[in-house]
């Protein structure tokens, strides 16, 4: 289990800009992931600005609960507290398969403990309500700052392209963000910045 503060700048990009970033920076990792999102039918997690997923990779899986940071260290970028648990791949897939068949599943480990403590009456009403699939590239960006480059597809067939700059140092995020914007000619707007995947997957669910 890990519990950590996530600070990141997220920008949706045109495909050609995304392709140029993928081409120009050395890849550290390159992999696929399936993101399965859970909430109650009355969206109790969303109402509390929380989100819950089971993410499945080729050889392992994890469950992650994101909750608001009650003591944020900055105001400019997206910031949450992440609670993560590693899951056995087979177990995780079984949980998702049960949920796809309309079964309510029980979250355990540290995520489950948090849900029991804060959403006790709703734990057994969590449902799989949407998903997305992401081709993720981790690249070595300017200032030796890691870039996350995501190409994500959704249930209705829509696809988008995203740059994430995550770092504990908000000043470094800003510096790298400005450098990339100047070099690649993109800007952040209200329509393309800090749009999380669960919201996009909700828009594009079927």
């Amino acid at each position: 289990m890990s519990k950590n503060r996530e600070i990141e700048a997220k920008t949706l990009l045109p495909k050609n800009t995304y392709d140029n970033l993928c081409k120009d920076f050395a890849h550290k990792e390159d992999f696929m992931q399936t993101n399965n999102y859970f909430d109650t039918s009355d969206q109790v997690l969303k109402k509390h600005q929380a989100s819950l997923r089971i993410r499945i990779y080729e050889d392992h899986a994890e469950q992650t609960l994101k909750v608001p940071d009650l003591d944020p260290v900055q105001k400019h970028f997206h910031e949450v507290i992440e609670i993560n648990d590693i899951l056995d791949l087979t177990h995780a897939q079984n949980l998702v398969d049960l949920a796809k068949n309309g079964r309510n599943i029980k979250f355990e480990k540290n995520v489950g403990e948090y849900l029991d403590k804060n959403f006790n009456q709703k734990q057994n009403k969590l449902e799989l309500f949407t998903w997305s699939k992401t081709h993720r590239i981790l690249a070595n960006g300017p200032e030796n700052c890691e870039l996350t480059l995501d190409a994500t597809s959704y249930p209705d067939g829509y696809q988008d392209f995203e740059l994430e700059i995550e770092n504990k140092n908000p000043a470094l995020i800003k510096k790298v963000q400005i450098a990339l914007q100047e070099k690649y000619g993109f800007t952040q707007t209200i329509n393309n910045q800090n749009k999380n995947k669960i919201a996009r997957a909700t828009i594009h669910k079927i």
Side-chain angles (χ1 to χ4, degrees):
M1 190 278 290
S2 67
K3 182 177 181 180
N4 62 281
R5 174 180 283 115
E6 177 188 72
I7 303 172
E8 63 181 359
K10 301 164 69 73
T11 310
L12 292 171
L13 300 172
K15 185 177 187 302
N16 66 316
T17 304
Y18 168 86
D19 288 340
N20 286 334
L21 287 166
C22 291
K23 178 183 66 176
D24 290 350
F25 294 100
H27 296 189
K28 299 163 63 178
E29 293 186 62
D30 184 333
F31 52 88
M32 296 295 300
Q33 60 191 37
T34 301
N35 316 292
N36 303 279
Y37 299 110
F38 295 81
D39 205 340
T40 61
S41 59
D42 58 352
Q43 299 184 312
V44 67
L45 295 182
K46 181 179 180 180
K47 290 173 183 175
H48 287 82
Q49 297 179 292
S51 63
L52 176 63
R53 72 178 181 230
I54 292 177
R55 178 170 281 174
I56 295 179
Y57 303 91
E58 181 180 358
D59 58 356
H60 70 287
E62 64 182 12
Q63 59 186 17
T64 302
L65 178 65
K66 295 188 178 185
V67 298
D69 189 342
L70 300 180
D71 188 23
V73 299
Q74 53 81 53
K75 297 181 179 179
H76 187 72
F77 301 113
H78 177 70
E79 182 174 345
V80 295
I81 298 298
E82 281 193 339
I83 303 168
N84 295 298
D85 294 309
I86 299 298
L87 298 177
D88 174 78
L89 181 60
T90 300
H91 176 60
Q93 190 61 65
N94 286 341
L95 291 174
V96 171
D97 289 344
L98 286 171
K100 285 180 178 178
N101 289 317
R103 300 278 297 276
N104 296 116
I105 63 174
K106 171 73 172 176
F107 284 83
E108 301 177 341
K109 298 190 175 184
N110 293 278
V111 166
E113 288 181 12
Y114 186 99
L115 292 170
D116 283 338
K117 181 178 179 180
N118 295 277
F119 301 98
N120 186 42
Q121 301 303 311
K122 298 290 187 176
Q123 241 276 49
N124 64 348
K125 299 180 190 249
L126 291 166
E127 303 171 351
L128 174 64
F129 72 96
T130 190
W131 55 268
S132 64
K133 290 186 178 182
T134 299
H135 175 207
R136 170 161 287 185
I137 294 170
L138 302 180
N140 189 28
E143 304 291 329
N144 203 31
C145 180
E146 185 174 271
L147 307 179
T148 300
L149 299 163
D150 286 347
T152 301
S153 57
Y154 301 94
D156 66 357
Y158 184 79
Q159 188 175 35
D160 61 28
F161 306 91
E162 181 181 36
L163 164 68
E164 295 181 5
I165 309 170
E166 181 179 346
N167 200 277
K168 301 296 184 186
N169 182 353
L172 179 60
I173 293 177
K174 185 65 175 177
K175 183 177 182 180
V176 171
Q177 183 183 54
I178 290 173
L180 293 175
Q181 287 180 168
E182 290 177 349
K183 181 175 180 180
Y184 293 91
F186 66 91
T187 58
Q188 282 201 321
T189 70
I190 192 171
N191 295 317
N192 71 8
Q193 67 175 325
N194 296 333
K195 303 294 184 182
N196 62 51
K197 284 185 180 63
I198 191 170
R200 286 140 54 196
T202 301
I203 292 170
H204 295 289
K205 71 179 183 179
I206 55 176

